[in-house]
Amino acid sequence: WVPSLSMIPSPGLQCFTAEDHDRIVSLYEVYSFRVGHDSDLRLPTPIWNNVSCHHCRASCGWKEGRIVTCDVTTGSCRCPLGFSGANCTAPVPNVRVQEHQTTECKRPEKSHQTEVCPLKVGLQRQGGTTLATALALYMHCADSRPEVDRHHSLMLNSTGDVTWVNDSHGFISAEIHVGYGSEWERDTNCSLLVGYHPHLYPDSLLEGTLVTPDLP
């Protein structure tokens, strides 16, 4: 078995200890020996930032005969969706988006201006022991006029900051930057979708994202 070493992770997302780096060097040496020539592969430099990199508090154990590894970006175990902790036995919180949330963002009065529309999307959680903060917002806008390029007039700016005001209710903050757009541009209806964070390992279970198939 020859490991694939073609993917180079982004330096900003690396949390390599010196031990991790040594293992990667070993894999690279095996790869070079079997291929029979030097590779242009750029080995990562060991990076461990105490602000963005976190060790798990204890061993993550085993799950269904496999070793559970630690996600060093969050300091949590890489468990199947819906579970957390040592041996992946602890359920994570169930999170749902509060219904019937709407807001109206106005266009700027002049063509060179941008209107900032702050908003908060309400969330509810139930059960679990994790913080349920590895979430993100995504925006989809319905457009009946495909010739209008709305990428220049609407932009979602979200840091994915989730705030829980108590054990059951919280919100995720965002801003929509509204440009002047076309002079004849109509109002646009956009949907904000709450999903899992693109870089952080899931620490909650979003309602409707885990479906068990019906067995015959």
Side-chain angles (χ1 to χ4, degrees):
W1 175 73
V2 179
S4 174
L5 299 177
S6 59
M7 295 183 64
I8 306 299
S10 168
L13 300 178
Q14 293 178 8
C15 289
F16 287 114
T17 63
E19 293 78 11
D20 292 333
H21 185 261
D22 291 341
R23 283 193 289 268
I24 294 175
V25 170
S26 298
L27 288 174
Y28 172 76
E29 291 175 349
V30 171
Y31 172 80
S32 298
F33 175 78
R34 294 195 179 185
V35 172
H37 58 77
D38 293 334
S39 171
D40 293 332
L41 179 69
R42 294 174 287 108
L43 294 179
T45 302
I47 297 176
W48 190 268
N49 187 317
N50 289 327
V51 175
S52 58
C53 304
H54 311 277
H55 290 289
C56 288
R57 296 181 179 180
S59 172
C60 291
W62 296 72
K63 177 70 173 180
E64 298 178 352
R66 298 182 179 181
I67 296 178
V68 181
T69 59
C70 175
D71 178 59
V72 292
T73 59
T74 60
S76 58
C77 299
R78 289 182 174 270
C79 294
L81 187 61
F83 295 92
S84 65
N87 301 314
C88 300
T89 56
V92 298
N94 291 304
V95 176
R96 64 187 299 270
V97 181
Q98 295 180 19
E99 297 180 350
H100 310 301
Q101 299 183 69
T102 60
T103 189
E104 181 180 359
C105 298
K106 297 185 178 297
R107 295 173 60 180
E109 296 180 356
K110 298 181 180 180
S111 59
H112 63 278
Q113 295 177 338
T114 298
E115 192 77 20
V116 177
C117 182
L119 52 89
K120 294 180 179 179
V121 178
L123 304 173
Q124 293 178 324
R125 67 177 173 181
Q126 182 179 13
T129 57
T130 57
L131 296 178
T133 56
L135 301 171
L137 275 179
Y138 303 90
M139 184 170 67
H140 172 72
C141 296
D143 184 8
S144 59
R145 300 174 59 202
E147 69 273 12
V148 176
D149 184 6
R150 298 195 183 279
H151 292 291
H152 294 294
S153 56
L154 289 174
M155 183 181 68
L156 175 67
N157 181 25
S158 173
T159 58
D161 291 334
V162 179
T163 302
W164 293 102
V165 296
N166 53 43
D167 291 340
S168 60
H169 289 75
F171 57 87
I172 181 170
S173 302
E175 292 178 345
I176 294 181
H177 292 195
V178 184
Y180 185 78
S182 171
E183 183 177 356
W184 306 107
E185 187 173 350
R186 299 177 180 177
D187 292 343
T188 302
N189 292 322
C190 297
S191 298
L192 288 175
L193 309 176
V194 178
Y196 297 110
H197 198 281
H199 303 306
L200 303 179
Y201 207 73
D203 60 352
S204 63
L205 178 61
L206 283 169
E207 185 180 64
T209 58
L210 185 61
V211 179
T212 302
D214 295 329
L215 299 179

